[in-house]
Structures are given as structure tokens and as C-alpha cells.
Amino acid sequence: MLDDQPAPHGPQGDNLTDVPLAERPRATPRALVLALGMLVTSALAGVLVVLPAPYAVTSPGPTRDVLGEADGTPLIQVEGAETFPSSGELRLTTISGTGGPGYPSYVSTVLRGWLSGASVVRPVEEVFPQDATQEEIDESNTELMVTSQETATVAALTELGYEVPATLVVAGTVAGTDAEGKLEEGDVLTALDGEALPDYQSLIRRLEDVRPGAVVTLSVTRHAQPLDVEVTTGEREEGGAQIGVFVNPSFDLPVDVTISIDGIGGPSAGTMFALGIVDLLTPEDEADGEVIAGTGTIDVTGAVGSIGGIRQKLVGAQRDGAAWFLAPAGNCGEVVDHVPDGLRVVRVATLHEAREAMTAIGAGTADDLPTCTAG
């Protein structure tokens, strides 16, 4: 019969549909178990990729040369003063993170973070406010970045000897201080104990000479009328006296500085922005071909403040070719024993110290610069 004829050999090989059932190999129990195990493993792996985890993972982020360009536009642009080229690089450092609103961490991400020596995994509530939305966090980081750019400009111009006048506007009072109920939002501070306050730095310097608990007289302008207000000072957490008001200074900058950078938020690039402005406005080629990375907040007096993620930033700096790293003195405890090979750390507490370090590194005389040490 036709059905008993051997099947023809086609282009796909032998047609096995005509092999008698008794001659086909049967699956053993072990093979079935292995196949089932592979299916379960594949399914679990797929779940791990998309299953959110209640952890925040921070890793080394990108670095940016503040003396360089992005899409053909200089990161720092100056109008109203001559600028000078630099052969070196000043790199701000960042961290990349997941776990916040809108950017969940997945189980696979957390596992990679635990296995990586360059990442840190922490419970998400230790890193992000639980009642904040993604939009609120992004907006806050943007505002902090904008403020740090203005503050960096003021600090840099002051370091270079410019006068930077400011109008000191009261934005509110600190609850529980003597200023509450005495000073009002919109008051303009003009003098402290009879000494004029032409800029924000003057207010800071004057308060350094005041003993906490002493009574001071604040001269203010309220609704275009002069007024003297006596306030008993309090003590700042960092030490020194405070008058119990939030001040929103309006600066009259003698040089117009624009900083253009997208995708990066927060205040920690302030020190490197300020250092970049100093470098651009001075004829000396301070960095002289060296790649110097760093981080740190900065205030208008030039004080460098500590930041988060210092260990990840060290790794990112070394990865992107930096040989030197300017670290805030307040972060030194986290730096010790975590410096990547090939990277040298310099401890800085002020913009002036950072400027001197940059100059020494470029000149090849940086061997004696202070670093972070244990104890």
C-alpha cells in the first residue's frame, strides 16, 4: 500500500512522522524534572527583572568637565570680563541612583548593587522622602542646582576680588526664635548694630563676632520705611550666633556668568563650578593639562560643604581619567580606605584652598597638599 512506502527525503531532511511510535525515545523522569526546572528558573529570572524592591541603589554617575562644552556650548559662559583658555580639565562628579519615586529599583538591580564594590544599597526610606512625588524631587534638585550655580558665581567673584553687592531680603523667621513676630517677610536688612550690610558676606562676618544669646539691633527697611528691631540671638548647630531669619539675598553681579548643564541636579557641584569660573577669569593656566575631579557644596563665603555619595564619585572620577580629586574636609571619614588606585585625594575646606590645590597640581608641586587621613 502507498502508506507503507518510505517517506521521501525533502529539503528539510527525513520526515520523522512516519517513524513507528515504538521506536521513538521516551522522556525519562529526570529529563522531565530538568526541563521543568529550567522553565521555573527562566520564569523566576523574568520576574526578578521587573519586580520592584524597597531599596535605593547608588552607583558612580557621569562626570563633566566644567571647562568643556556640551553640544557645542561651553558649560560656563562669561560676559562682562575677559576669559582665558585652559589646557586642563575640572570635572564635577555625580552619582546615579534608583529607588526614588518614578525610578524604582528592581531585584536584579539590587543584587548587582550588592555584588558591586562601587555601589551602595540602602533601604529606600533612608534615601528618599516617602511622601514626595517624582515631580517634587526633580523640582527640588533643579532648584538646588540653580542656587548652587549662583552661589558658586558669588564665591568665585569674591575670591577674585570683585565686590558683589546684595540686597538682603527676609524670607521668613525661624520658629521659636526671638525674631519670630518681630521681623516680617519682605523686610530688607540694612545694618547690624549700626554697621552697614552691603553684601551677604558682611552679615556672615558680623555674626561671627556675636556671642550667642547677645542682643543685636537690626536695621531694616519695611514698606519703604526705616526701622530698628532688637533681637536676641540664638546658637547655630554649627556654632556661632544666628538672628533667626531666612535671608533670600538678591545679588548685583559685576560679571554675568551662565552655567548650562542638563540632567544633573542638587548642590554638590558648587565647588567645581566656582573653581571653573576662577580658572576662566585668570590668565594663568592653573590646571596645566591635569585632570582634576572634585565635589562639594559651596556658600557665598567660599566654604566647601560635605555631600553624599563620595565613594561612588571617587570611582567615577578615576574611571573618567582623573588623577586628582578635591574632597570636602567634612567627607574625609568616608574617603579613607576607599580611594581607587591611581587617584590622589586633596582635602579642601574653602574655595581658596581648592584654588591653591589646583594651582599646585598644575605646577607639579602638589606632593605636600593635605589629604584625608584616618583618625
Side-chain angles (χ1 to χ4, degrees):
M1 296 177 60
L2 183 62
D3 289 341
D4 291 332
Q5 298 300 314
H9 295 286
Q12 301 301 321
D14 293 339
N15 186 343
L16 299 181
T17 58
D18 289 329
V19 177
L21 293 176
E23 298 180 13
R24 297 182 187 178
R26 294 185 177 181
T28 65
R30 181 181 180 186
L32 290 173
V33 170
L34 288 174
L36 181 60
M38 291 178 65
L39 286 173
V40 172
T41 301
S42 298
L44 287 176
V47 170
L48 289 178
V49 172
V50 298
L51 185 65
Y55 292 94
V57 181
T58 53
S59 306
T63 67
R64 295 285 185 271
D65 177 18
V66 301
L67 300 176
E69 298 181 348
D71 298 325
T73 300
L75 266 65
I76 301 177
Q77 301 176 73
V78 177
E79 294 183 7
E82 184 179 5
T83 59
F84 304 88
S86 174
S87 63
E89 295 182 12
L90 298 175
R91 290 192 163 269
L92 64 84
T93 52
T94 69
I95 57 173
S96 297
T98 61
Y103 305 98
S105 294
Y106 298 106
V107 172
S108 56
T109 308
V110 174
L111 291 175
R112 286 195 300 269
W114 275 328
L115 294 173
S116 170
S119 298
V120 173
V121 179
R122 295 161 58 191
V124 68
E125 62 271 13
E126 293 183 6
V127 181
F128 297 98
Q130 297 304 289
D131 57 349
T133 65
Q134 175 187 338
E135 291 75 17
E136 289 171 339
I137 292 177
D138 290 345
E139 182 179 350
S140 175
N141 283 333
T142 300
E143 290 176 353
L144 289 171
M145 171 60 79
V146 171
T147 300
S148 76
Q149 293 172 359
E150 181 180 50
T151 304
T153 301
V154 174
L157 294 179
T158 302
E159 168 69 18
L160 293 171
Y162 287 89
E163 292 186 2
V164 185
T167 302
L168 308 183
V169 182
V170 175
T173 56
V174 180
T177 64
D178 192 46
E180 188 177 17
K182 292 184 176 181
L183 292 170
E184 299 178 359
E185 183 177 350
D187 286 349
V188 177
L189 303 179
T190 58
L192 192 156
D193 285 340
E195 292 190 24
L197 300 174
D199 50 42
Y200 193 78
Q201 295 90 326
S202 297
L203 175 62
I204 300 300
R205 286 193 296 267
R206 287 288 295 112
L207 286 174
E208 290 175 351
D209 298 329
V210 175
R211 175 179 54 82
V215 177
V216 297
T217 299
L218 294 172
S219 298
V220 305
T221 300
R222 178 180 298 170
H223 306 306
Q225 298 297 319
L227 177 69
D228 285 341
V229 180
E230 288 191 347
V231 173
T232 301
T233 60
E235 185 171 5
R236 301 170 61 225
E237 291 184 3
E238 304 85 356
Q242 66 169 348
I243 55 177
V245 300
F246 299 107
V247 177
N248 182 22
S250 176
F251 298 103
D252 182 11
L253 298 173
V255 176
D256 185 15
V257 177
T258 302
I259 300 175
S260 304
I261 189 165
D262 295 324
I264 297 176
S268 64
T271 295
M272 298 309 290
F273 283 144
L275 206 58
I277 295 168
V278 168
D279 184 277
L280 286 171
L281 290 174
T282 49
E284 299 82 10
D285 185 7
E286 289 98 340
D288 196 19
E290 295 286 344
V291 181
I292 305 169
T295 187
T297 64
I298 200 156
D299 67 19
V300 294
T301 68
V304 174
S306 57
I307 49 80
I310 186 74
R311 295 178 185 175
Q312 290 79 57
K313 292 179 178 181
L314 289 168
V315 173
Q318 187 268 349
R319 175 202 63 205
D320 289 354
W324 297 87
F325 193 98
L326 306 181
N331 284 116
C332 269
E334 303 169 80
V335 169
V336 174
D337 297 330
H338 292 90
V339 181
D341 292 339
L343 190 67
R344 295 185 62 179
V345 172
V346 179
R347 183 185 75 246
V348 295
T350 66
L351 175 59
H352 186 70
E353 291 180 358
R355 180 186 182 184
E356 289 187 328
M358 172 178 65
T359 302
I361 291 169
T365 59
D367 289 342
D368 295 330
L369 290 175
T371 190
C372 292
T373 56

